Amino acid sequence: MKLSFPTNDRKTIAKRTGRCEEFAVYEIENSKIKNIDYIKNTHEHDDDDHDHGHGHGHGQEHGHGHGKGQGERQHSHSDIMELLKNVDVLLVGRVGKYMKGDLIESGLKYQLTKKIDIEEAIDEFLKGSE
């Protein structure tokens, strides 16, 4: 089984999945870590689409358009889905609505965790899947 985590320091789970430095991919076999790979996050960030109230200069609302029609997706994480196509489960602290939609659409399973430390999150996940 391959578990992946967004990370900026290779120890903890990053708060912003789409903006993490890289994805840690842990290969687990018989409840033991067999291998760890790191995949650089190549996701392009458009600050207008990702700022979420920090620096917009016009309030916290989000129905005000970023050059997109009403109901139209503001940004895509398809490049991240491609990076993680061989992963069984992505463990994250939280997931935004656009990321969640892309995860569902791609078929990549994800699970929320309250753990910040990657190895603690792995232990928790393995205990829950016994």
Side-chain angles (χ1 to χ4, degrees):
M1 165 179 285
K2 288 186 179 180
L3 301 177
S4 184
F5 305 85
T7 187
N8 294 321
D9 62 8
R10 297 188 174 190
K11 295 177 191 144
T12 59
I13 297 173
K15 291 182 181 182
R16 300 287 302 270
T17 302
R19 289 183 171 227
C20 71
E21 294 291 323
E22 58 191 353
F23 292 93
V25 179
Y26 283 69
E27 189 174 352
I28 310 292
E29 203 171 275
N30 298 320
S31 297
K32 303 277 186 226
I33 298 170
K34 180 181 174 185
N35 189 43
I36 305 169
D37 286 320
Y38 297 95
I39 303 170
K40 176 100 175 112
N41 183 5
T42 57
H43 183 63
E44 293 289 326
H45 309 295
D46 178 350
D47 284 337
D48 249 4
D49 285 349
H50 287 82
D51 208 344
H52 298 284
H54 303 287
H56 273 310
H58 55 268
Q60 302 280 337
E61 66 201 71
H62 262 75
H64 47 70
H66 290 281
K68 309 283 185 192
Q70 180 130 10
E72 199 174 320
R73 300 278 307 264
Q74 291 183 357
H75 53 272
S76 171
H77 298 93
S78 60
D79 50 344
I80 293 175
M81 301 308 117
E82 182 63 24
L83 290 174
L84 301 177
K85 66 184 176 186
N86 295 319
V87 167
D88 296 301
V89 181
L90 174 67
L91 276 88
V92 295
R94 64 186 187 135
V95 63
K97 68 180 179 179
Y98 296 114
M99 177 66 79
K100 182 177 181 177
D102 289 338
L103 286 165
I104 292 168
E105 191 175 300
S106 74
L108 177 58
K109 293 178 186 171
Y110 74 93
Q111 183 172 319
L112 298 176
T113 180
K114 291 183 179 182
K115 300 290 183 189
I116 295 172
D117 180 83
I118 290 174
E119 293 200 10
E120 287 179 14
I122 291 172
D123 289 342
E124 177 185 65
F125 178 84
L126 292 175
K127 285 177 185 169
S129 62
E130 290 176 343

